[in-house]
Amino acid sequence: MKLNELQLRSFRNYGELALDFDPGVNLIIGDNAQGKTNLLEAIAFLGSGRSFRAQKTKEMVLFGEEFAEIAGKVDSQNRQQSLRWLLFSGSRPRQLWLNGVKQKTAGNLSGVLPTVLFCPEDLMVLKAGASQRRRMGDYVLCQLRPNYDAALTEYNRILDQKNRILKDHFENPGVLEILPEYNTRLCQVGALLISYRARFYDSLGKAAAVYHNQFSGGNEEFRLEYTTVSSVSDPFAPVSKLTEDLQEHLSRHYRAELETAQCLTGPHKDDFTVTLSGIDLKAYGSQGQTRTAAISLKLAQRELMGREWGEEPVLLLDDVLSELDPGRQDFVLNQIVSGQVFITCCEPGRFTKMGKTIEIQKGKALFN
Ligand code: ATP
Ligand code: MG
């Protein structure tokens, strides 16, 4: 997949911007707070309908404006395709056009412009809290499996409603009548999430192990294990069995959930662990080991997506190379000889010779 052209209007700190890109490496340079990460966010959003940094759509619209537009021309699936999004600062739902045809959902986007983002926080993701790891996994899995994306949205919606019921029940005990209905649905959709995740993390772990092995010279055995609620003994079991497991789990926590007025456990607390030759990385890994493992995970994400569609997804490296020592920089760069890459950095240094360089200053491109 290649992004050939991008147009922005009132997106973040960009008024109007039109850029064309190199099919290989694109280096985005500029001082702090000029709009480099905003540009990567626009590219990632264009292909997925998801932002890796905004909590609310409104944040992506230029201050004081009513809507933002992101449009692009893409080479993928053996043809030229076009994408266009309108995002509103008010309550109007976002709008998407794919090849000029208005879409009801982002479901048809799968495989058009998938992206893998790699940023400095990802380097420490294996030491971070579980929510960061879930977010990283979900970012890839949602692009790979639109049905997973839909299930995740549905799960979070039900979870929100259930939380509201739990909060309200002290004052209004009548709301508890509808709780079983929400619990049933939560277990059904939660079981789907577990089923998708089990398969995804299995493939991801195997692909990452190959990279880690190359990187560490075969000295460490990388293993990734997906962890979910304790009542699930086999996450690969049929969805009907997983639903029962979750129901059993919820009934065990029924009292505690009422007392704390919170949804305590469930797939929304899922995580994964990485061990190197049997030693838990989160507890014992050195900084170098943690970084190497994180790089292996990122390259594995890119590989899974490439396998799925037969084309390399677009790689977005946000300030990450300058965080790495030359050995690790070379490892990453040597693995991405093919496919399109966007690299942001403040000090171009040794990367300037590759592909196209675009300088960003206060939401404008200087040399284009
Ligand atoms: P750094 O090198 O520090 O990472 P950057 O070039 O990646 O910087 P960005 O994160 O892209 O910078 O942000 C640039 C600026 O965009 C910030 O100063 C921020 O205040 C501004 N900004 C973010 N959202 C909006 C918005 N909705 N409207 C206007 N400006 C915004
Ligand atoms: Mg930035």
Side-chain angles (χ1 to χ4, degrees):
M1 289 88 176
K2 305 268 173 350
L3 176 63
N4 296 325
E5 292 171 31
L6 179 75
Q7 282 170 2
L8 299 181
R9 205 163 141 201
S10 307
F11 180 87
R12 295 275 189 189
N13 69 332
Y14 290 96
E16 291 213 26
L17 180 82
L19 287 174
D20 42 72
F21 299 118
D22 191 275
V25 178
N26 294 276
L27 194 65
I28 319 283
I29 58 166
D31 292 339
N32 293 133
Q34 302 304 305
K36 300 182 300 296
T37 304
N38 291 346
L39 189 61
L40 297 194
E41 182 187 27
I43 295 171
F45 191 95
L46 184 68
S48 67
R50 281 177 168 254
S51 163
F52 53 74
R53 54 174 12 192
Q55 301 293 328
K56 297 198 180 98
T57 305
K58 185 184 170 195
E59 294 166 30
M60 290 181 276
V61 182
L62 179 67
F63 300 144
E65 294 295 324
E66 277 173 21
F67 68 91
E69 180 176 353
I70 315 171
K73 292 211 165 63
V74 178
D75 266 340
S76 71
Q77 300 166 321
N78 303 318
R79 59 187 197 274
Q80 261 243 342
Q81 309 208 60
S82 70
L83 288 163
R84 177 169 172 248
W85 286 95
L86 286 186
L87 308 176
F88 297 91
S89 57
S91 56
R92 272 179 79 181
R94 64 195 199 168
Q95 299 177 8
L96 162 68
W97 288 261
L98 174 57
N99 301 320
V101 180
K102 193 156 178 196
Q103 306 287 306
K104 286 209 178 79
T105 67
N108 288 337
L109 276 192
S110 183
V112 178
L113 182 66
T115 52
V116 174
L117 170 78
F118 197 177
C119 61
E121 296 91 85
D122 291 335
L123 288 171
M124 293 316 281
V125 75
L126 295 167
K127 289 274 192 192
S131 64
Q132 271 167 272
R133 276 184 294 280
R134 268 197 307 278
R135 204 174 150 103
M136 183 171 102
D138 283 342
Y139 181 79
V140 182
L141 192 43
C142 282
Q143 293 187 75
L144 280 171
R145 301 278 175 262
N147 288 341
Y148 174 84
D149 193 347
L152 185 62
T153 307
E154 170 78 350
Y155 185 90
N156 288 330
R157 197 179 60 81
I158 307 169
L159 197 65
D160 275 352
Q161 288 166 336
K162 183 179 162 183
N163 267 320
R164 226 169 296 143
I165 296 173
L166 290 172
K167 292 232 156 38
D168 287 351
H169 88 275
F170 294 115
E171 285 187 10
N172 181 10
V175 292
L176 287 184
E177 273 174 35
I178 50 172
L179 190 58
E181 217 175 285
Y182 280 91
N183 276 340
T184 305
R185 197 72 196 114
L186 205 58
C187 293
Q188 285 166 342
V189 185
L192 260 181
L193 297 186
I194 293 175
S195 184
Y196 274 111
R197 284 175 181 166
R199 283 158 184 80
F200 167 67
Y201 282 117
D202 184 54
S203 312
L204 186 70
K206 284 176 180 148
V210 176
Y211 286 112
H212 194 91
N213 191 41
Q214 280 178 31
F215 209 159
S216 66
N219 289 328
E220 291 168 346
E221 193 206 346
F222 178 106
R223 269 185 75 93
L224 184 150
E225 197 183 343
Y226 165 54
T227 53
T228 183
V229 288
S230 56
S231 62
V232 174
S233 51
D234 176 15
F236 291 94
V239 173
S240 55
K241 168 75 169 70
L242 295 172
T243 307
E244 284 168 24
D245 292 347
L246 286 180
Q247 257 151 357
E248 186 204 316
H249 194 77
L250 270 191
S251 46
R252 258 195 264 150
H253 291 83
Y254 184 75
R255 287 266 136 236
E257 289 197 327
L258 286 186
E259 276 160 24
T260 57
Q262 274 178 39
C263 299
L264 292 175
T265 57
H268 51 285
K269 298 279 165 81
D270 281 358
D271 197 2
F272 64 86
T273 56
V274 169
T275 55
L276 297 179
S277 307
I279 296 166
D280 180 31
L281 193 72
K282 185 167 183 187
Y284 300 106
S286 74
Q287 207 200 46
Q289 282 175 316
T290 310
R291 285 170 166 239
T292 302
I295 293 169
S296 306
L297 270 181
K298 278 290 153 183
L299 294 170
Q301 289 177 6
R302 183 167 179 264
E303 186 178 313
L304 292 195
M305 293 171 102
R307 263 190 236 156
E308 177 73 21
W309 293 297
E311 292 176 87
E312 305 268 302
V314 172
L315 188 62
L316 308 172
L317 300 180
D318 193 15
D319 281 336
V320 80
L321 286 182
S322 45
E323 285 282 315
L324 298 175
D325 56 62
R328 289 190 172 86
Q329 281 178 7
D330 287 341
F331 186 76
V332 173
L333 290 173
N334 289 337
Q335 298 293 337
I336 51 172
V337 280
S338 61
Q340 192 179 32
V341 194
F342 292 81
I343 302 173
T344 70
C345 52
C346 294
E347 313 236 329
R350 63 194 290 241
F351 315 119
T352 334
K353 287 177 216 79
M354 308 179 291
K356 179 169 183 166
T357 301
I358 299 165
E359 185 172 354
I360 300 290
Q361 201 180 76
K362 293 186 186 154
K364 292 198 162 48
L366 290 188
F367 311 117
N368 184 41

